[in-house]
Amino acid sequence: MSKIVKLGLILFAITAVTGLILGAVHTMTLEPIREAQAREKNEALASTLPGAQNFRQLEIDGEGGGISEVYEGEGGGSVIGYNFTVTPKGYGGLITLVVGVNNDGRVMDIKILNHSETPGLGAKAGEPAFAGQFREKLADELAVTKTPPESENQIQAISGATITSTAVTDGVNAALKYWRDRLKDGAAGNKNSEEAY
């Protein structure tokens, strides 16, 4: 019996020390991970709304329709557009992307921040061959097509990943709808929060 107790105490000691080490490593890496995520977010805001240097987070007005964050982008002392963080549901789960829309309602660019789509299929959504199709699109609503686009509002789906392609396009459409319904005429005026990037 004492041999079992001794082995149990040894196992407990090893587990306790391992747990303390893992806890310390977790604590030490929290801040660098948070800083890396903030840096990635800032880069996404800047790349999807060229010309903007300052970003101020706005309160989401009513139902966001899949929009989790809205930023007002300023450049040269005036608002040049808005960034939207949207989270549409793809094939493998939620896709987090940033959509930049200028004051004319033109999608300037998109940047996928996070996804769990199938490697080799839906994971291609962040590649220029697909994501680049959204750059400088001016349309009220975009549609996915399996064939080469025949009009300005069409986006060609990734072969074998129509669900992912549709999800990303739905996210962009949600941003365009929010812009049209709530920001197009400067409706954001009094809803600014204090958080700036």
Tab-separated table of all heavy atoms in Angstrom, residues 120-175:
chain	number	residue	atom	x	y	z
A	120	GLY	N	-6.442	23.451	-48.864
A	120	GLY	CA	-6.447	23.135	-50.290
A	120	GLY	C	-7.746	23.474	-50.986
A	120	GLY	O	-7.816	23.474	-52.211
A	121	LEU	N	-8.798	23.758	-50.230
A	121	LEU	CA	-10.091	24.131	-50.831
A	121	LEU	C	-10.510	25.493	-50.274
A	121	LEU	O	-10.097	26.518	-50.777
A	121	LEU	CB	-11.145	23.053	-50.555
A	121	LEU	CG	-10.912	21.695	-51.233
A	121	LEU	CD1	-11.902	20.671	-50.735
A	121	LEU	CD2	-11.000	21.829	-52.730
A	122	GLY	N	-11.337	25.485	-49.231
A	122	GLY	CA	-11.817	26.732	-48.651
A	122	GLY	C	-10.719	27.611	-48.091
A	122	GLY	O	-10.856	28.830	-48.037
A	123	ALA	N	-9.599	27.005	-47.703
A	123	ALA	CA	-8.484	27.787	-47.172
A	123	ALA	C	-7.893	28.717	-48.220
A	123	ALA	O	-7.167	29.659	-47.896
A	123	ALA	CB	-7.405	26.864	-46.619
A	124	LYS	N	-8.215	28.483	-49.492
A	124	LYS	CA	-7.732	29.342	-50.574
A	124	LYS	C	-8.456	30.695	-50.608
A	124	LYS	O	-8.112	31.555	-51.410
A	124	LYS	CB	-7.927	28.647	-51.926
A	124	LYS	CG	-7.038	27.447	-52.139
A	124	LYS	CD	-7.282	26.861	-53.517
A	124	LYS	CE	-6.360	25.686	-53.783
A	124	LYS	NZ	-6.613	25.106	-55.128
A	125	ALA	N	-9.438	30.875	-49.761
A	125	ALA	CA	-10.223	32.116	-49.769
A	125	ALA	C	-9.366	33.344	-49.512
A	125	ALA	O	-9.680	34.431	-50.001
A	125	ALA	CB	-11.352	32.037	-48.749
A	126	GLY	N	-8.296	33.210	-48.765
A	126	GLY	CA	-7.432	34.348	-48.467
A	126	GLY	C	-6.410	34.638	-49.551
A	126	GLY	O	-5.723	35.662	-49.506
A	127	GLU	N	-6.299	33.764	-50.529
A	127	GLU	CA	-5.313	33.949	-51.596
A	127	GLU	C	-5.788	35.008	-52.591
A	127	GLU	O	-6.992	35.180	-52.805
A	127	GLU	CB	-5.052	32.618	-52.308
A	127	GLU	CG	-4.406	31.584	-51.404
A	127	GLU	CD	-4.196	30.240	-52.083
A	127	GLU	OE1	-4.450	30.106	-53.308
A	127	GLU	OE2	-3.757	29.314	-51.379
A	128	PRO	N	-4.843	35.697	-53.229
A	128	PRO	CA	-5.210	36.774	-54.161
A	128	PRO	C	-6.137	36.343	-55.301
A	128	PRO	O	-6.950	37.148	-55.764
A	128	PRO	CB	-3.861	37.240	-54.719
A	128	PRO	CG	-2.868	36.868	-53.671
A	128	PRO	CD	-3.398	35.605	-53.041
A	129	ALA	N	-6.042	35.090	-55.750
A	129	ALA	CA	-6.893	34.642	-56.857
A	129	ALA	C	-8.376	34.771	-56.508
A	129	ALA	O	-9.200	35.077	-57.365
A	129	ALA	CB	-6.561	33.201	-57.223
A	130	PHE	N	-8.727	34.557	-55.246
A	130	PHE	CA	-10.126	34.714	-54.831
A	130	PHE	C	-10.354	36.065	-54.164
A	130	PHE	O	-11.192	36.856	-54.616
A	130	PHE	CB	-10.548	33.587	-53.885
A	130	PHE	CG	-11.957	33.750	-53.393
A	130	PHE	CD1	-13.030	33.518	-54.237
A	130	PHE	CD2	-12.218	34.172	-52.098
A	130	PHE	CE1	-14.345	33.702	-53.801
A	130	PHE	CE2	-13.514	34.351	-51.647
A	130	PHE	CZ	-14.577	34.111	-52.500
A	131	ALA	N	-9.618	36.352	-53.104
A	131	ALA	CA	-9.841	37.587	-52.344
A	131	ALA	C	-9.623	38.830	-53.197
A	131	ALA	O	-10.291	39.846	-53.007
A	131	ALA	CB	-8.936	37.615	-51.114
A	132	GLY	N	-8.718	38.758	-54.159
A	132	GLY	CA	-8.440	39.900	-55.024
A	132	GLY	C	-9.612	40.305	-55.900
A	132	GLY	O	-9.649	41.434	-56.411
A	133	GLN	N	-10.571	39.407	-56.081
A	133	GLN	CA	-11.744	39.734	-56.894
A	133	GLN	C	-12.615	40.825	-56.266
A	133	GLN	O	-13.377	41.497	-56.955
A	133	GLN	CB	-12.620	38.490	-57.096
A	133	GLN	CG	-11.963	37.388	-57.896
A	133	GLN	CD	-12.922	36.227	-58.051
A	133	GLN	OE1	-13.799	36.249	-58.921
A	133	GLN	NE2	-12.779	35.221	-57.188
A	134	PHE	N	-12.499	40.990	-54.946
A	134	PHE	CA	-13.321	41.969	-54.244
A	134	PHE	C	-12.733	43.377	-54.336
A	134	PHE	O	-13.437	44.350	-54.083
A	134	PHE	CB	-13.464	41.580	-52.767
A	134	PHE	CG	-14.259	40.328	-52.569
A	134	PHE	CD1	-13.625	39.097	-52.475
A	134	PHE	CD2	-15.646	40.368	-52.483
A	134	PHE	CE1	-14.353	37.928	-52.292
A	134	PHE	CE2	-16.381	39.201	-52.298
A	134	PHE	CZ	-15.733	37.987	-52.206
A	135	ARG	N	-11.454	43.479	-54.672
A	135	ARG	CA	-10.761	44.769	-54.668
A	135	ARG	C	-11.419	45.751	-55.631
A	135	ARG	O	-11.614	45.474	-56.805
A	135	ARG	CB	-9.289	44.569	-55.041
A	135	ARG	CG	-8.442	45.810	-54.826
A	135	ARG	CD	-6.965	45.539	-55.010
A	135	ARG	NE	-6.505	44.604	-53.988
A	135	ARG	CZ	-5.911	43.439	-54.267
A	135	ARG	NH1	-5.711	43.065	-55.503
A	135	ARG	NH2	-5.518	42.649	-53.282
A	136	GLU	N	-11.797	46.897	-55.067
A	136	GLU	CA	-12.390	48.024	-55.793
A	136	GLU	C	-13.688	47.686	-56.525
A	136	GLU	O	-13.990	48.238	-57.574
A	136	GLU	CB	-11.355	48.649	-56.736
A	136	GLU	CG	-10.171	49.186	-55.957
A	136	GLU	CD	-9.326	50.172	-56.737
A	136	GLU	OE1	-9.761	50.628	-57.803
A	136	GLU	OE2	-8.235	50.480	-56.253
A	137	LYS	N	-14.471	46.787	-55.938
A	137	LYS	CA	-15.784	46.438	-56.498
A	137	LYS	C	-16.803	47.494	-56.079
A	137	LYS	O	-16.881	47.868	-54.916
A	137	LYS	CB	-16.257	45.074	-55.982
A	137	LYS	CG	-15.591	43.900	-56.628
A	137	LYS	CD	-16.204	43.616	-57.969
A	137	LYS	CE	-15.636	42.338	-58.526
A	137	LYS	NZ	-16.081	42.068	-59.866
A	138	LEU	N	-17.573	47.947	-57.049
A	138	LEU	CA	-18.647	48.896	-56.775
A	138	LEU	C	-19.956	48.240	-57.193
A	138	LEU	O	-20.256	48.117	-58.380
A	138	LEU	CB	-18.433	50.201	-57.551
A	138	LEU	CG	-19.468	51.303	-57.304
A	138	LEU	CD1	-19.484	51.709	-55.835
A	138	LEU	CD2	-19.174	52.505	-58.183
A	139	ALA	N	-20.697	47.758	-56.207
A	139	ALA	CA	-21.978	47.092	-56.462
A	139	ALA	C	-22.792	47.137	-55.184
A	139	ALA	O	-22.239	47.139	-54.084
A	139	ALA	CB	-21.758	45.646	-56.895
A	140	ASP	N	-24.107	47.154	-55.321
A	140	ASP	CA	-24.965	47.124	-54.136
A	140	ASP	C	-24.894	45.769	-53.450
A	140	ASP	O	-24.961	45.672	-52.235
A	140	ASP	CB	-26.411	47.426	-54.515
A	140	ASP	CG	-26.623	48.902	-54.792
A	140	ASP	OD1	-25.795	49.718	-54.338
A	140	ASP	OD2	-27.609	49.236	-55.461
A	141	GLU	N	-24.784	44.725	-54.274
A	141	GLU	CA	-24.716	43.370	-53.727
A	141	GLU	C	-23.913	42.507	-54.686
A	141	GLU	O	-24.072	42.582	-55.899
A	141	GLU	CB	-26.118	42.792	-53.553
A	141	GLU	CG	-26.128	41.470	-52.849
A	141	GLU	CD	-27.530	41.008	-52.490
A	141	GLU	OE1	-28.498	41.728	-52.749
A	141	GLU	OE2	-27.633	39.903	-51.950
A	142	LEU	N	-23.047	41.669	-54.112
A	142	LEU	CA	-22.211	40.777	-54.915
A	142	LEU	C	-22.820	39.382	-54.937
A	142	LEU	O	-23.483	38.975	-53.985
A	142	LEU	CB	-20.799	40.736	-54.339
A	142	LEU	CG	-20.076	42.086	-54.300
A	142	LEU	CD1	-18.789	41.984	-53.505
A	142	LEU	CD2	-19.804	42.593	-55.699
A	143	ALA	N	-22.588	38.663	-56.027
A	143	ALA	CA	-23.128	37.313	-56.185
A	143	ALA	C	-22.004	36.359	-56.570
A	143	ALA	O	-21.061	36.739	-57.258
A	143	ALA	CB	-24.210	37.302	-57.258
A	144	VAL	N	-22.119	35.123	-56.128
A	144	VAL	CA	-21.123	34.092	-56.433
A	144	VAL	C	-21.546	33.360	-57.695
A	144	VAL	O	-22.718	33.030	-57.873
A	144	VAL	CB	-20.993	33.102	-55.252
A	144	VAL	CG1	-20.039	31.969	-55.596
A	144	VAL	CG2	-20.529	33.829	-54.004
A	145	THR	N	-20.582	33.104	-58.555
A	145	THR	CA	-20.829	32.331	-59.762
A	145	THR	C	-19.748	31.255	-59.889
A	145	THR	O	-18.621	31.464	-59.460
A	145	THR	CB	-20.839	33.231	-61.024
A	145	THR	OG1	-21.031	32.416	-62.174
A	145	THR	CG2	-19.540	34.000	-61.178
A	146	LYS	N	-20.116	30.118	-60.453
A	146	LYS	CA	-19.149	29.034	-60.640
A	146	LYS	C	-18.375	29.189	-61.945
A	146	LYS	O	-17.403	28.501	-62.177
A	146	LYS	CB	-19.856	27.680	-60.604
A	146	LYS	CG	-20.421	27.352	-59.232
A	146	LYS	CD	-21.028	25.972	-59.201
A	146	LYS	CE	-21.575	25.671	-57.810
A	146	LYS	NZ	-22.071	24.310	-57.703
A	147	THR	N	-18.839	30.094	-62.791
A	147	THR	CA	-18.188	30.339	-64.076
A	147	THR	C	-17.486	31.698	-64.020
A	147	THR	O	-17.729	32.479	-63.102
A	147	THR	CB	-19.235	30.347	-65.206
A	147	THR	OG1	-20.191	31.374	-64.928
A	147	THR	CG2	-19.944	28.996	-65.298
A	148	PRO	N	-16.631	31.999	-64.978
A	148	PRO	CA	-16.000	33.324	-64.972
A	148	PRO	C	-17.047	34.436	-64.934
A	148	PRO	O	-18.086	34.340	-65.600
A	148	PRO	CB	-15.213	33.341	-66.288
A	148	PRO	CG	-14.891	31.901	-66.539
A	148	PRO	CD	-16.106	31.146	-66.051
A	149	PRO	N	-16.795	35.489	-64.151
A	149	PRO	CA	-17.773	36.578	-63.989
A	149	PRO	C	-18.127	37.234	-65.317
A	149	PRO	O	-17.264	37.461	-66.166
A	149	PRO	CB	-17.059	37.569	-63.080
A	149	PRO	CG	-16.019	36.768	-62.376
A	149	PRO	CD	-15.608	35.698	-63.330
A	150	GLU	N	-19.424	37.529	-65.465
A	150	GLU	CA	-19.908	38.205	-66.658
A	150	GLU	C	-20.344	39.636	-66.358
A	150	GLU	O	-20.635	40.395	-67.270
A	150	GLU	CB	-21.072	37.424	-67.262
A	150	GLU	CG	-20.654	36.055	-67.770
A	150	GLU	CD	-21.824	35.255	-68.318
A	150	GLU	OE1	-22.966	35.771	-68.335
A	150	GLU	OE2	-21.596	34.105	-68.724
A	151	SER	N	-20.400	39.979	-65.076
A	151	SER	CA	-20.759	41.346	-64.703
A	151	SER	C	-19.931	41.774	-63.495
A	151	SER	O	-19.305	40.956	-62.823
A	151	SER	CB	-22.263	41.448	-64.397
A	151	SER	OG	-22.567	40.707	-63.241
A	152	GLU	N	-19.946	43.071	-63.234
A	152	GLU	CA	-19.134	43.672	-62.169
A	152	GLU	C	-19.498	43.147	-60.782
A	152	GLU	O	-18.668	43.117	-59.890
A	152	GLU	CB	-19.296	45.191	-62.216
A	152	GLU	CG	-18.545	45.953	-61.149
A	152	GLU	CD	-17.021	45.869	-61.262
A	152	GLU	OE1	-16.517	45.513	-62.341
A	152	GLU	OE2	-16.344	46.151	-60.259
A	153	ASN	N	-20.740	42.698	-60.602
A	153	ASN	CA	-21.156	42.277	-59.259
A	153	ASN	C	-20.923	40.784	-58.998
A	153	ASN	O	-21.327	40.279	-57.961
A	153	ASN	CB	-22.626	42.622	-59.022
A	153	ASN	CG	-23.563	41.706	-59.777
A	153	ASN	OD1	-23.270	41.279	-60.883
A	153	ASN	ND2	-24.700	41.425	-59.179
A	154	GLN	N	-20.258	40.076	-59.902
A	154	GLN	CA	-20.047	38.641	-59.725
A	154	GLN	C	-18.643	38.317	-59.222
A	154	GLN	O	-17.667	38.954	-59.621
A	154	GLN	CB	-20.309	37.893	-61.032
A	154	GLN	CG	-21.769	37.908	-61.441
A	154	GLN	CD	-22.018	37.101	-62.697
A	154	GLN	OE1	-21.158	36.974	-63.565
A	154	GLN	NE2	-23.215	36.540	-62.797
A	155	ILE	N	-18.583	37.305	-58.375
A	155	ILE	CA	-17.335	36.784	-57.814
A	155	ILE	C	-17.264	35.310	-58.172
A	155	ILE	O	-18.200	34.556	-57.870
A	155	ILE	CB	-17.302	36.948	-56.273
A	155	ILE	CG1	-17.425	38.423	-55.872
A	155	ILE	CG2	-16.063	36.301	-55.678
A	155	ILE	CD1	-16.273	39.297	-56.246
A	156	GLN	N	-16.174	34.887	-58.793
A	156	GLN	CA	-16.039	33.476	-59.167
A	156	GLN	C	-15.657	32.649	-57.942
A	156	GLN	O	-14.695	32.949	-57.244
A	156	GLN	CB	-15.000	33.283	-60.264
A	156	GLN	CG	-14.957	31.843	-60.753
A	156	GLN	CD	-14.089	31.678	-61.992
A	156	GLN	OE1	-13.540	32.629	-62.515
A	156	GLN	NE2	-13.974	30.446	-62.442
A	157	ALA	N	-16.435	31.596	-57.694
A	157	ALA	CA	-16.221	30.722	-56.538
A	157	ALA	C	-14.918	29.953	-56.674
A	157	ALA	O	-14.436	29.689	-57.779
A	157	ALA	CB	-17.384	29.743	-56.401
A	158	ILE	N	-14.358	29.574	-55.548
A	158	ILE	CA	-13.205	28.679	-55.515
A	158	ILE	C	-13.714	27.303	-55.896
A	158	ILE	O	-14.709	26.832	-55.344
A	158	ILE	CB	-12.578	28.635	-54.106
A	158	ILE	CG1	-12.152	30.022	-53.668
A	158	ILE	CG2	-11.425	27.655	-54.045
A	158	ILE	CD1	-11.872	30.143	-52.183
A	159	SER	N	-13.057	26.645	-56.823
A	159	SER	CA	-13.482	25.320	-57.265
A	159	SER	C	-13.496	24.353	-56.084
A	159	SER	O	-12.492	24.181	-55.396
A	159	SER	CB	-12.529	24.806	-58.352
A	159	SER	OG	-12.938	23.529	-58.784
A	160	GLY	N	-14.632	23.733	-55.850
A	160	GLY	CA	-14.777	22.780	-54.755
A	160	GLY	C	-15.036	23.418	-53.402
A	160	GLY	O	-15.073	22.727	-52.390
A	161	ALA	N	-15.182	24.738	-53.370
A	161	ALA	CA	-15.395	25.434	-52.092
A	161	ALA	C	-16.458	26.522	-52.243
A	161	ALA	O	-16.253	27.670	-51.849
A	161	ALA	CB	-14.082	26.017	-51.586
A	162	THR	N	-17.599	26.150	-52.783
A	162	THR	CA	-18.672	27.115	-53.003
A	162	THR	C	-19.223	27.652	-51.680
A	162	THR	O	-19.573	28.829	-51.580
A	162	THR	CB	-19.811	26.478	-53.824
A	162	THR	OG1	-19.244	25.920	-55.015
A	162	THR	CG2	-20.856	27.494	-54.210
A	163	ILE	N	-19.282	26.805	-50.656
A	163	ILE	CA	-19.814	27.255	-49.362
A	163	ILE	C	-18.926	28.348	-48.783
A	163	ILE	O	-19.411	29.381	-48.321
A	163	ILE	CB	-19.950	26.063	-48.379
A	163	ILE	CG1	-21.021	25.095	-48.887
A	163	ILE	CG2	-20.277	26.557	-46.971
A	163	ILE	CD1	-21.120	23.803	-48.111
A	164	THR	N	-17.609	28.141	-48.825
A	164	THR	CA	-16.675	29.152	-48.326
A	164	THR	C	-16.781	30.425	-49.154
A	164	THR	O	-16.836	31.526	-48.604
A	164	THR	CB	-15.231	28.617	-48.367
A	164	THR	OG1	-15.155	27.413	-47.611
A	164	THR	CG2	-14.252	29.628	-47.804
A	165	SER	N	-16.803	30.268	-50.473
A	165	SER	CA	-16.895	31.433	-51.372
A	165	SER	C	-18.156	32.236	-51.094
A	165	SER	O	-18.124	33.472	-51.041
A	165	SER	CB	-16.891	30.968	-52.832
A	165	SER	OG	-15.755	30.195	-53.116
A	166	THR	N	-19.263	31.546	-50.896
A	166	THR	CA	-20.533	32.207	-50.608
A	166	THR	C	-20.489	32.889	-49.243
A	166	THR	O	-20.997	34.006	-49.086
A	166	THR	CB	-21.689	31.190	-50.667
A	166	THR	OG1	-21.704	30.600	-51.971
A	166	THR	CG2	-23.030	31.841	-50.393
A	167	ALA	N	-19.861	32.241	-48.259
A	167	ALA	CA	-19.773	32.828	-46.920
A	167	ALA	C	-18.990	34.136	-46.946
A	167	ALA	O	-19.423	35.144	-46.369
A	167	ALA	CB	-19.120	31.837	-45.953
A	168	VAL	N	-17.857	34.151	-47.617
A	168	VAL	CA	-17.050	35.374	-47.696
A	168	VAL	C	-17.837	36.468	-48.414
A	168	VAL	O	-17.884	37.616	-47.966
A	168	VAL	CB	-15.693	35.101	-48.391
A	168	VAL	CG1	-14.941	36.407	-48.643
A	168	VAL	CG2	-14.841	34.148	-47.552
A	169	THR	N	-18.472	36.107	-49.502
A	169	THR	CA	-19.269	37.079	-50.265
A	169	THR	C	-20.438	37.599	-49.423
A	169	THR	O	-20.748	38.797	-49.447
A	169	THR	CB	-19.774	36.452	-51.578
A	169	THR	OG1	-18.641	35.954	-52.307
A	169	THR	CG2	-20.516	37.463	-52.430
A	170	ASP	N	-21.077	36.716	-48.658
A	170	ASP	CA	-22.154	37.150	-47.754
A	170	ASP	C	-21.627	38.140	-46.724
A	170	ASP	O	-22.317	39.104	-46.368
A	170	ASP	CB	-22.791	35.954	-47.054
A	170	ASP	CG	-23.663	35.107	-47.980
A	170	ASP	OD1	-23.967	35.562	-49.108
A	170	ASP	OD2	-24.019	33.979	-47.575
A	171	GLY	N	-20.419	37.898	-46.217
A	171	GLY	CA	-19.808	38.825	-45.259
A	171	GLY	C	-19.580	40.196	-45.869
A	171	GLY	O	-19.857	41.228	-45.244
A	172	VAL	N	-19.087	40.223	-47.102
A	172	VAL	CA	-18.881	41.496	-47.801
A	172	VAL	C	-20.223	42.178	-48.043
A	172	VAL	O	-20.364	43.399	-47.843
A	172	VAL	CB	-18.111	41.279	-49.124
A	172	VAL	CG1	-18.024	42.579	-49.917
A	172	VAL	CG2	-16.709	40.728	-48.836
A	173	ASN	N	-21.232	41.411	-48.437
A	173	ASN	CA	-22.565	41.984	-48.651
A	173	ASN	C	-23.147	42.559	-47.363
A	173	ASN	O	-23.826	43.589	-47.387
A	173	ASN	CB	-23.513	40.940	-49.245
A	173	ASN	CG	-23.259	40.717	-50.723
A	173	ASN	OD1	-22.766	41.594	-51.425
A	173	ASN	ND2	-23.583	39.529	-51.195
A	174	ALA	N	-22.884	41.905	-46.224
A	174	ALA	CA	-23.357	42.427	-44.935
A	174	ALA	C	-22.713	43.778	-44.645
A	174	ALA	O	-23.377	44.712	-44.169
A	174	ALA	CB	-23.060	41.430	-43.813
A	175	ALA	N	-21.417	43.909	-44.956
A	175	ALA	CA	-20.725	45.183	-44.754
A	175	ALA	C	-21.306	46.265	-45.662
A	175	ALA	O	-21.545	47.393	-45.221
A	175	ALA	CB	-19.226	45.009	-45.008
